[in-house]
Amino acid sequence: MSAEKTLSEPAATATAPGTPLLEVSGLTKHFPVMGGFPFRRQVGAVQAVDDVSFSVAAGESLGLVGESGCGKSTTGRLITRLYEPTAGSVKYLGQEIAHASRKELAPIRSEIQMIFQDPYSSLNPRHTVGTIITGPMEINNINPAGGREARVKELLEIVGLNPEHYNRFPHEFSGGQRQRIGVARALALNPKLIVADEPVSALDVSIQAQVVNLLQKLQRELGIAFVFIAHDLSIVRHFSQRVAVMYLGKIVEIADRESLYARPRHPYTHALLSAAPDADPDNVSAERIRLVGDVPSPLNPPSGCRFRTRCWKAQDKCATEEPPLVQITGSTDGHLTACHFPEEKDVVAAAPAAPASAELPEQRATKTL
């Protein structure tokens, strides 16, 4: 019997009914900071991701949003095991992979793929497009019907490139075209889970909609699940069934998209949504929240609630007790919030982004209408 396999073969993974495709629990990644002379030693740690928990069902899309540097991309790389977690659990179809060896990861590597944020550094400049996309097939010993070259040309057409680009090199493409090559590479093995790290940020606006719609179509037709990392809240709302909001390495709120966008409970989520541009310039009823100061350093995050240094609702309790990510008392919709004093009112509409503030970092956010 041949060891080769085709893309049409189902994965032979036995799991219990109702088992999530991906289950993350207490995921933590601390990067050591070295110092000292002449003997170097660890003098601190960057707490990039700290005690993150969520799950993704088969065929579901989970959006991951937050400010730059909050740990979204690091979380994606931990899921795909490009980084070794410091602590925590990552289960794929019930199988623990957080600290699995290379040999143990081999059978599921083809089922978990990633679309990288940077379309320049993620493609080998010495390889042609055909070599880049067929590489995963060769590694996993996969021969699609019709041959690998035909499959690559089909993928190029799917992502909006010409099949004639097969023999071209990455430097011959624009940033947007390179990102589409990255999407084609992620689709080459017909994965069950794709971690998309800002997959459309480098594309033109007209192409963004095409790629997002393409990913949605593939999700429906092939049952692919996504962890969709992005800054654009409108794209996340359009693409993801559930949304998780990260701040300084922690998830502060997670809910289905309708609940989160209409009724954000965490002050940080409320501020993010209020900063989204409004298509109606005459909408003066929308609330605007200005967050002042910078995000604290992950080398020395604030005690208690990490958002308290920029929160207009912070009280003494927020400095001494870290709020757990739990469902608000009386709620039954699975809306989880990590806040001692959650918001109670609904969002009326999104307002234009607030101008940059010159106030001191230690000052807290203000709310204006």
Side-chain angles (χ1 to χ4, degrees), residues 98-367:
H99 302 284
S101 66
R102 185 171 183 176
K103 181 178 180 181
E104 292 170 332
L105 286 173
I108 63 171
R109 278 294 190 188
S110 63
E111 299 181 12
I112 305 176
Q113 296 295 307
M114 187 166 186
I115 301 172
F116 294 93
Q117 179 177 358
D118 187 356
Y120 293 89
S121 62
S122 62
L123 302 179
N124 192 327
R126 296 187 178 186
H127 289 175
T128 64
V129 171
T131 303
I132 289 171
I133 301 178
T134 57
M137 301 181 196
E138 293 178 359
I139 292 172
N140 290 275
N141 198 26
I142 290 176
N143 283 317
R148 293 172 181 168
E149 182 175 345
R151 173 61 174 166
V152 171
K153 291 183 177 180
E154 177 187 359
L155 289 169
L156 290 176
E157 287 189 297
I158 288 176
V159 299
L161 297 174
N162 294 325
E164 290 77 13
H165 292 161
Y166 182 89
N167 291 315
R168 292 190 181 182
F169 289 88
H171 73 270
E172 301 180 67
F173 297 90
S174 67
Q177 289 175 319
R178 293 185 189 202
Q179 190 66 297
R180 280 176 269 176
I181 296 171
V183 173
R185 178 176 59 185
L187 297 174
L189 300 182
N190 221 10
K192 291 184 177 181
L193 173 68
I194 292 180
V195 177
D197 186 6
E198 297 280 0
V200 297
S201 61
L203 305 182
D204 298 332
V205 174
S206 59
I207 302 300
Q208 286 184 3
Q210 296 178 20
V211 173
V212 170
N213 290 335
L214 165 65
L215 295 179
Q216 282 190 315
K217 179 181 178 182
L218 293 169
Q219 184 182 26
R220 291 192 303 267
E221 295 180 353
L222 304 177
I224 300 175
F226 282 86
V227 175
F228 193 86
I229 301 169
H231 286 98
D232 194 323
L233 294 173
S234 61
I235 290 181
V236 171
R237 184 173 189 174
H238 176 72
F239 186 82
S240 303
Q241 287 82 41
R242 289 192 302 132
V243 181
V245 181
M246 288 192 71
Y247 181 80
L248 203 59
K250 284 185 172 290
I251 290 181
V252 298
E253 187 164 9
I254 184 168
D256 67 87
R257 61 184 172 193
E258 299 304 328
S259 175
L260 186 134
Y261 279 78
R263 297 177 298 280
R265 297 313 184 204
H266 198 281
Y268 178 63
T269 308
H270 207 96
L272 280 182
L273 294 178
S274 75
D278 191 355
D280 184 4
D282 297 325
N283 184 12
V284 297
S285 63
E287 184 180 25
R288 184 176 65 188
I289 302 173
R290 298 189 304 159
L291 290 180
V292 298
D294 297 326
V295 179
S297 171
L299 271 169
N300 186 27
S303 61
C305 176
R306 297 190 176 186
F307 184 62
R308 65 177 176 82
T309 57
R310 306 171 75 194
C311 181
W312 63 92
K313 303 185 71 174
Q315 299 182 24
D316 292 342
K317 181 180 182 180
C318 301
T320 58
E321 298 181 24
E322 181 178 341
L325 185 65
V326 295
Q327 189 166 271
I328 297 176
T329 304
S331 175
T332 59
D333 59 358
H335 193 141
L336 305 180
T337 308
C339 183
H340 293 304
F341 308 100
E343 295 279 348
E344 297 297 336
K345 60 182 179 179
D346 297 351
V347 171
V348 177
S357 172
E359 297 180 76
L360 297 176
E362 61 268 17
Q363 292 178 313
R364 292 175 180 161
T366 59
K367 299 174 70 175

